[in-house]
Amino acid sequence: MQLMLCGGTGCDSTGSEKVRAALQEEIEKQGLTEEVSIVITGCNGFCAVGPVMVTQPEGIFYQKIQPEDAKELVTEHCLHGRPVERLFYKNPATKKRISKMGDIPFFASQEFRAMRNKGLIDPELIDEAIARDGYFGLAKVLSEMKPEDIIDEMMASGLRGRGGAGFPAGAKWRFAKWADGDEKYVLCNADEGDPGAFMDRSILESDPHAVLEGMAIAARAINADKGYIYCRSEYPLAIKRLHIAIDQAKAYGLLGDDILGSGFNFDVEVYQGAGAFVCGEETALMRSIEGKRGMPIPRPPFPAHKGLWGKPTILNNVETLANVPQIMLKGGAWYAGVGTENSKGTKVFALSGDVANIGLVEVPMGTSVRSLVYDIGGGVPGKRTFKAVQLGGPSGGCVPEQHLDTPIDYEAIAKVGAIMGSGGAIVMDNTTCMVDMARYFMDFIQDESCGKCTPCREGTKRILTILEDICKGKGKDGDIEELESLCHVVGHTALCGLGQTAPNPVLSTLRYFRDEFEAHIYAKT
Ligand code: SF4
């Protein structure tokens, strides 16, 4: 029997390491070391009820385990085969306890593709990844497919970049493949910096091999032999697991020289970023790897033609790359089998804020925002009510009650004034001041602006000052019009995506909650 204990950052912070130690002590005390082993997995996803554990092969889901529960769990479940019901998840609607993970509403409507191995493998053991088809996609690519076939399959999948912009990944790869260059690079953007976002970190912590395999396949498609993973240094567990995964993949001949005897070489290095939000912008990220100050540069030329060190470069984020191996193994048509007309596959979200089930979720494109918040998220806890959900973090916008039935789809979400972004979803209840929310995100952006171009450097500062004044009850007639005008100028003239999208939270709150701005200014509330 295996006890799959979540060791992701969420469960780690609620004491999973102490639970592990207590369980191990009990297993030894009861002489069960031959029969029972503990596997520390990456993030299970249901962070709200951590530390969580799933037993295999039965699939019993235990929540909120404390070290004091270890004796009962080992004696009852492991020794006598009697699951401990008091540690099952309790459905707040029915008050009934649920034993199996798939029956819990939080998991029931999710579909795991990018996160297919989460909670099911030890991320520090490559054998466990391989046992779940790890590197099979790469093996197929190297033995059966030409580079053009790889790109055709990516195009057929309809996979769009999950970092926020939603550009078709296959098209990006095609540009890089046909670009002139003796050297080419594949980069993984793991510089996740949105407040409330932890999708990429969790994928790297739970299944780093999927990302490495995705990078190797991309490299084969464009004939690159070197890749970098740009990961913020605030993610020490993800970085540690990446290093372990790279070493193990090299030892197994799955990275490095002559991969699987094919003559194809590809090496990967982890580059630690210092946590500047702007370094998630592709040109700034490349300058940072080059050892320069991480500042964006104008495009074109685009990185697919002139990227890292002026060479053709693919940059995809963690979630995008984690999808690639299964697309190669099962085909682009399989991947495109779920989703909407223009948004295929699944999307990972980090659900946080005023919502009962905080955690990491993966849903088919086309799922409604309402389903995300209520069916999976469990709605707003207590007597408070839903007000809005912020999608896309500081670059995104809010989706209010009247648009909750909007499907998760790049274009549909943009139509209501938000963006898909990388997957941050922050739920806000009826006590949230939306002016203060806009101020918070503008404060973040203003702080993170690299200062290179005037509209962003000065414009965000002025927008922030106005928002601060309004929040302090010092707002005046004309402030709303000035905010709108400044947002328009910054959005249309800033150099990079950070500045261009900075006005979004202000504009979307003005669109749906203008009365709150007016109440602050005219009623001085
Ligand atoms: Fe820097 Fe902002 Fe200009 Fe981007 S828009 S280059 S972050 S100042």
Side-chain angles (χ1 to χ4, degrees), residues 9 29 96 110 113 156 181 207 210 238 250 259 262 264 281 285 306 329 338 351 369 397 490 521 523 525:
T9 300
K29 214 186 274 178
K96 288 203 173 125
Q110 294 194 53
R113 291 188 169 192
D207 193 10
K250 281 185 182 171
I259 295 174
S262 65
F264 170 60
E281 195 277 341
L285 183 151
K306 275 184 170 232
L329 206 52
V338 301
L351 199 52
V369 179
V490 172
I521 294 170
T525 58

Side-chain angles (χ1 to χ4, degrees), residues 278 296 448-454 456-457 494-500:
V278 72
E448 295 290 344
S449 166
C450 80
K452 180 171 181 171
C453 65
T454 311
C456 174
R457 185 183 63 239
L495 172 61
C496 82
L498 186 149
Q500 288 158 10

Side-chain angles (χ1 to χ4, degrees), residues 203-220:
I203 292 173
L204 288 173
E205 287 177 2
S206 57
D207 193 10
H209 289 288
V211 179
L212 294 176
E213 186 183 356
M215 290 180 76
I217 291 167
R220 176 65 166 180

Side-chain angles (χ1 to χ4, degrees), residues 377-394:
V380 174
K383 295 208 167 86
R384 293 180 179 177
T385 55
F386 174 86
K387 188 169 199 176
V389 54
Q390 178 78 10
L391 295 181

